[in-house]
Amino acid sequence: MNIIIAIDGHSSCGKSTMAKQLAQHLGYIYVDTGAMYRAVTLYALQHGMINAHTHAVDTPRLVQALNDIHISFCRDAQQRLRTQLNGRDVEDDIRGMAVAESVSHVAVIPEVRAALVRQQQRMGEQKGIVMDGRDIGTVVFPQAELKVFVTASAEVRARRRFDELKRKGQQPDFDEILANVLERDRIDTTREVSPLRKADDAITLDNSNLTPEQQLQWLIQKVEERIADNE
């Protein structure tokens, strides 16, 4: 049988990487919800809807434009998942600091969340799906058979983000990234709409000291246990 797997947690915990690996191992569909919010943020930045200094969002303009924002996913020649915004590959664009600094401000807008949640729920109707984000187990798929809440120390998460940007040829500032991680935690956990919180029936995974291989084996074991429980 196929199940819905919801992976939630703090920013820069590697949720997307583990969700992609798990989906590939199981032959499930993977949906990167964080990339969806980043794509909306990129659209807003490109259309002058976000103040570059204060990160304030022109909410009425963005809400009015939601019907013109179409997000999809495809795989490249190496089978890597790529995010598309209105038919254009924006995978690299949405991973930069400009988007990272503004995405939490966009994600708190109720109309944005409602629009993307509707898309995400349609994607999961057939089950056999792995989805990661901030509110998958609490809002998008409260009926998910397996819910995992991922966390790690802020310093570990900032270091991972720093190393990722370095590999892409950028020259990041660690202190700036750490401040961004802490600010995103504050915004994510205190926003009025769908704040980041662990679902009552979620299993916690602290991956501060785990390798990707150890994470994957832990997840596979939990999936097998949950499938056996539901058969």
Side-chain angles (χ1 to χ4, degrees), residues 11-211:
S11 66
S12 302
C13 275
K15 298 186 301 297
S16 296
T17 298
M18 72 175 71
K20 290 174 188 175
Q21 292 175 336
L22 182 61
Q24 183 175 14
H25 176 85
L26 298 172
Y28 278 21
I29 296 170
Y30 167 71
V31 177
D32 185 347
T33 61
M36 296 175 74
Y37 286 101
R38 284 173 173 267
V40 174
T41 303
L42 179 64
Y43 181 95
L45 286 166
Q46 292 174 336
H47 290 79
M49 299 176 186
I50 298 179
N51 185 298
H53 301 291
T54 66
H55 309 298
V57 182
D58 187 339
T59 300
R61 281 188 63 204
L62 179 55
V63 169
Q64 189 173 19
L66 285 174
N67 288 335
D68 298 322
I69 301 175
H70 304 288
I71 303 164
S72 58
F73 298 96
C74 67
R75 295 191 180 276
D76 62 16
Q78 287 74 44
Q79 292 301 302
R80 294 172 300 190
L81 195 72
R82 308 291 293 183
T83 306
Q84 293 191 317
L85 172 61
N86 292 336
R88 187 173 71 86
D89 187 319
V90 295
E91 184 63 31
D92 295 330
D93 297 332
I94 65 174
R95 305 300 175 182
M97 282 302 297
V99 170
E101 289 173 343
S102 296
V103 64
S104 291
H105 299 271
V106 171
V108 300
I109 299 172
E111 292 86 351
V112 171
R113 301 198 70 81
L116 294 188
V117 165
R118 286 193 295 270
Q119 291 188 40
Q120 294 155 12
Q121 289 173 334
R122 286 196 295 270
M123 294 174 184
E125 289 175 352
Q126 303 302 314
K127 296 200 173 186
I129 191 168
V130 181
M131 193 174 290
D132 72 278
R134 301 289 194 280
D135 59 359
I136 310 305
T138 55
V139 176
V140 183
F141 293 124
Q143 79 280 19
E145 288 87 354
L146 176 61
K147 302 175 186 178
V148 179
F149 188 87
V150 189
T151 188
S153 72
E155 289 74 18
V156 166
R157 290 183 283 139
R159 175 58 59 183
R160 290 170 179 168
R161 183 70 176 146
F162 177 87
D163 292 342
E164 177 187 3
L165 293 174
K166 288 280 286 186
R167 287 193 297 270
K168 293 182 177 180
Q170 300 183 32
Q171 299 297 320
D173 179 275
F174 178 80
D175 290 336
E176 179 184 355
I177 293 174
L178 178 58
N180 174 248
V181 167
L182 293 171
E183 176 64 6
R184 289 183 67 183
D185 283 353
R186 185 192 68 79
I187 294 173
D188 288 343
T189 55
T190 60
R191 65 190 180 208
E192 292 185 9
V193 180
S194 301
L196 172 64
R197 67 175 181 84
K198 177 185 173 184
D200 292 339
D201 54 348
I203 306 169
T204 298
L205 169 60
D206 186 331
N207 66 6
S208 297
N209 300 306
L210 294 180
T211 66

